[in-house]
Structure formats: C-alpha cells, structure tokens
Amino acid sequence: MDPRIPRLRCKLAAIPFQPLRSHSFGEEQHEFRLGPKLAEARVAAFEAEHDIALPEAYRQFLTHIGGSGAAPFYGLMPLEQCSPLVMNPREEPLAPRGFDDAEPGCHGRDLFLHVIEMGCTDVCVIAVTGPLTGRVLIGNSDGFWGPNVSSATDFLDWYERWLNHMSAGRDNRALELTSPQLRAHPARHRPAPNI
C-alpha cells in the first residue's frame, strides 16, 4: 500500500470540521463521504473490459481509500460510470481540444478516463496511456477551453493538493476552491445584473 494512503484518510476525515477551510464546489453532492473501497477483482474486471491498465496511484485510491464520493467538483464517479476518452486532434495551432468517447480497441491514441464529475460538458480525466499517464487533466469535452494538465505527479498527489488547499483556506480556481475570506465578502463575487 502506498504510504500516502493513511495520511490522505486522516486529512479527509478532518476537513468537514475545520471552520476556516475553503468551500469546495460540489461538496453538497458528496458531503466529504467516500463510497466503499473496491475489490482488486472488480478493478481488474473493469481493466479487462476496457483493455486498459489503471494508473497505479488511482488504482490504490480505489482499492484502499474509496471507490467514489469525496473529491473536487461533484466527486469521484463510481468506476462503472467512468468512460475511456480520447483527446480530439488539434485543428488549429493553440486551439483548445475536447474529448470524445474512445472506440473499442483504439490503440495508437492516448487514452484518458473520465473519473470526476464537473458538470455540463466539463471533464476531469486521468491519462491511462501515453506520455501523460497517471496525470490529471481538466478540460471541456466540446473543446471550449483547456485541457489543463495538473502539475501533480499522480492522482494521489493531486487529491492531496485539493485537501491541503482546502484545509489551508486557499482559493484555487483549478480545483474550484473558494477561501473563507472571499466567501465573507460577497461583493467580490457579485453576479452580473439580470438584463
């Protein structure tokens, strides 16, 4: 078991009780609860069905921490709801790229797994093949923005960054965290007037 696992469990358990923590977009959905851990056989069956190998840090999270629930945005999706995606080809230099469902057996293209629900057509994925394997990316499936690759080395580091920033009461646009300081001053986030 990865040595970060017990530390992540403790940090997550403490978050809901910290009065000066950040607000995490979508936390009402998962309420900082995790679904049951997944058995190795269940993860292996998913990998066989999709002909992929899950990145080790993400696999460790599923089998030693939880199979769904508490995570940035609306939370970690159950593995059965995760879908393999491919990044759209670049049509113009520097243009944002979206994601499409991966066709069965589409080897030769980098594969990504949609793992966290963000809402609308926004996606949070983890690379399962190619040079970004193990890294988390956030983008829009229609290519309206992104994708942005996290600087975290793997899923466990990315998840811990979310917990650390939330615990410290930090703002983090990439993880949709709002600090208590900004929440205390609603004029800073005044919505546009209705027209």
Side-chain angles (χ1 to χ4, degrees), residues 90-107:
R90 187 178 302 280
E91 293 180 13
E92 298 175 23
L94 304 176
R97 296 165 71 183
F99 294 89
D100 285 322
D101 291 331
E103 298 293 326
C106 75
H107 302 287

Side-chain angles (χ1 to χ4, degrees), residues 8-20:
L8 291 177
R9 282 189 196 135
C10 289
K11 286 182 178 185
L12 177 60
I15 289 292
F17 306 104
Q18 296 177 342
L20 298 179

Side-chain angles (χ1 to χ4, degrees), residues 22-184:
S22 295
H23 172 73
S24 181
F25 174 79
E27 68 183 47
E28 313 78 35
Q29 184 81 21
H30 55 73
E31 298 177 331
F32 300 105
R33 291 191 209 128
L34 290 168
K37 297 180 268 188
L38 302 183
E40 283 287 339
R42 192 167 164 196
V43 174
F46 179 86
E47 291 174 319
E49 177 186 348
H50 296 284
D51 193 23
I52 60 174
L54 296 179
E56 187 57 28
Y58 175 63
R59 182 182 244 279
Q60 291 267 329
F61 189 95
L62 296 175
T63 58
H64 295 289
I65 297 180
S68 63
F73 312 107
Y74 290 116
L76 190 64
M77 297 171 8
L79 190 58
E80 298 78 30
Q81 294 177 17
C82 295
S83 56
L85 304 173
V86 291
M87 192 179 297
N88 296 338
R90 187 178 302 280
E91 293 180 13
E92 298 175 23
L94 304 176
R97 296 165 71 183
F99 294 89
D100 285 322
D101 291 331
E103 298 293 326
C106 75
H107 302 287
R109 291 186 70 185
D110 296 343
L111 291 175
F112 302 87
L113 190 66
H114 184 190
V115 295
I116 292 181
E117 185 58 48
M118 292 179 65
C120 298
T121 58
D122 295 342
V123 293
C124 180
V125 300
I126 186 166
V128 294
T129 64
L132 296 175
T133 297
R135 302 280 293 277
V136 175
L137 293 82
I138 296 173
N140 179 273
S141 59
D142 293 329
F144 292 127
W145 60 274
N148 295 318
V149 181
S150 172
S151 61
T153 58
D154 63 23
F155 185 81
L156 293 175
D157 281 347
W158 182 79
Y159 193 86
E160 188 164 25
R161 179 178 295 168
W162 173 64
L163 293 173
N164 289 345
H165 286 200
M166 190 179 318
S167 180
R170 291 182 57 185
D171 291 305
N172 184 321
R173 293 182 77 129
L175 292 174
E176 286 285 333
L177 293 177
T178 307
S179 71
Q181 199 170 33
L182 281 183
R183 286 170 55 201

